Amino acid sequence: FPKCLTLELRQSQEEINSLTWEQKHQRSRETARYLTQRFDTLLILKICSDANITLDQLTSLIIDNNINHTLQQTDDLGMTALHCLCLNPNASPEMFKLLANACPQAAIMQAEMVTDVDIDWIGRLIDATREMVTPIKVWLKMKGASYNNNDFNDEGHLTLDAALQKGFEWHDLLTIMNIQLYDLGEQNEISRLYPFMRAAAATVNGLSNLEIIYQLAMYDTK
């Protein structure tokens, strides 16, 4: 599994580089077995990781079961169901809202994630960058969006102002809003502007996104 960022968490770089070829081959077989069994006792994580997930399927699971506790459970990599959903390219904003409403505290739970690796010319791991990430950080990385500590509030949520500055379209902004359950009726403490007003003030390449301004302005009336 060369350059597999997530699976590098299962072993330190020193251990990996010290293995013989036979040991690395055995390690690969063990990893393949681990991947097939990763979610054996965690059905909600398995469903959230499935590329064929549907909203009806997720809704049925949440309605039929009291899964608040389950949504806080983690796999061996420290990932929650919301982390897994954030890595799923086919997840919809409605799915994120469903999970966030069922377990709001999951939005600030952290997992360790390898965010970058340095490999030499024969494929040996030289160095790995690791970071504790919340689900929204996982989603940002999946979208290829950069961030820094100033983008987040004290609770670990991505601020709406930071999200507006990243140039997302409405579909992506709605996903962020649903993961973190923003209060769109709240004024900014400093500017006193409501979200749709801040969207008008937030420009990317000198332009405001009119669809986002309209959607935010109309959101509470839907």
Side-chain angles (χ1 to χ4, degrees):
F1 298 92
K3 298 186 180 182
C4 182
L5 304 185
T6 301
L7 292 180
E8 296 298 352
L9 282 172
R10 302 192 68 224
Q11 193 161 274
S12 70
Q13 64 195 56
E14 292 81 8
E15 290 174 317
I16 293 173
N17 291 338
S18 67
L19 297 178
T20 64
W21 185 89
E22 291 80 5
Q23 289 172 324
K24 289 181 178 179
H25 187 61
Q26 175 62 24
R27 177 71 179 171
S28 293
R29 290 199 298 268
E30 292 174 356
T31 299
R33 184 164 55 251
Y34 161 77
L35 288 174
T36 62
Q37 300 172 353
R38 178 182 174 191
F39 300 131
D40 277 358
T41 60
L42 295 167
L43 178 61
I44 185 66
L45 272 72
K46 182 176 183 179
I47 289 176
C48 288
S49 300
D50 188 346
N52 297 315
I53 185 175
T54 65
L55 182 60
D56 287 344
Q57 183 183 26
L58 193 58
T59 301
S60 177
L61 181 64
I62 291 178
I63 291 177
D64 294 342
N65 299 275
N66 182 13
I67 63 167
N68 182 280
H69 173 67
T70 305
L71 290 174
Q72 297 181 62
Q73 290 182 324
T74 61
D75 65 3
D76 289 343
L77 299 177
M79 296 287 183
T80 65
L82 190 54
H83 283 100
C84 292
L85 194 64
C86 286
L87 286 168
N88 191 333
N90 295 326
S92 68
E94 293 76 20
M95 294 177 190
F96 288 109
K97 187 173 184 177
L98 189 63
L99 278 191
N101 280 325
C103 183
Q105 57 268 45
I108 56 174
M109 293 181 68
Q110 298 188 83
E112 187 178 25
M113 184 178 186
V114 174
T115 56
D116 192 22
V117 292
D118 187 11
I119 306 291
D120 68 13
W121 65 281
I122 59 173
R124 292 181 302 185
L125 180 66
I126 299 174
D127 194 16
T129 302
R130 302 178 182 219
E131 180 183 351
M132 298 302 295
V133 293
T134 56
I136 191 62
K137 287 184 177 181
V138 171
W139 184 86
L140 289 170
K141 289 181 182 298
M142 193 270 293
K143 299 295 290 188
S146 61
Y147 58 79
N148 58 56
N149 291 336
N150 294 329
D151 291 337
F152 301 89
N153 61 22
D154 293 339
E155 288 75 36
H157 292 115
L158 179 72
T159 67
L160 179 59
D161 294 293
L164 290 171
Q165 291 291 343
K166 296 188 181 299
F168 291 125
E169 295 299 324
W170 170 245
H171 179 274
D172 287 336
L173 185 62
L174 182 59
T175 293
I176 295 173
M177 290 163 48
N178 286 348
I179 293 173
Q180 304 190 137
L181 302 177
Y182 287 126
D183 180 2
L184 296 182
E186 184 179 5
Q187 291 175 293
N188 181 277
E189 293 181 359
I190 298 175
S191 68
R192 310 306 300 170
L193 297 178
Y194 288 98
F196 76 93
M197 298 175 182
R198 281 138 62 191
T203 60
V204 178
N205 297 325
L207 299 174
S208 298
N209 188 314
L210 294 179
E211 181 184 8
I212 287 179
I213 296 170
Y214 172 78
Q215 294 288 358
L216 287 176
M218 300 299 293
Y219 196 78
D220 282 342
T221 67
K222 294 179 180 180

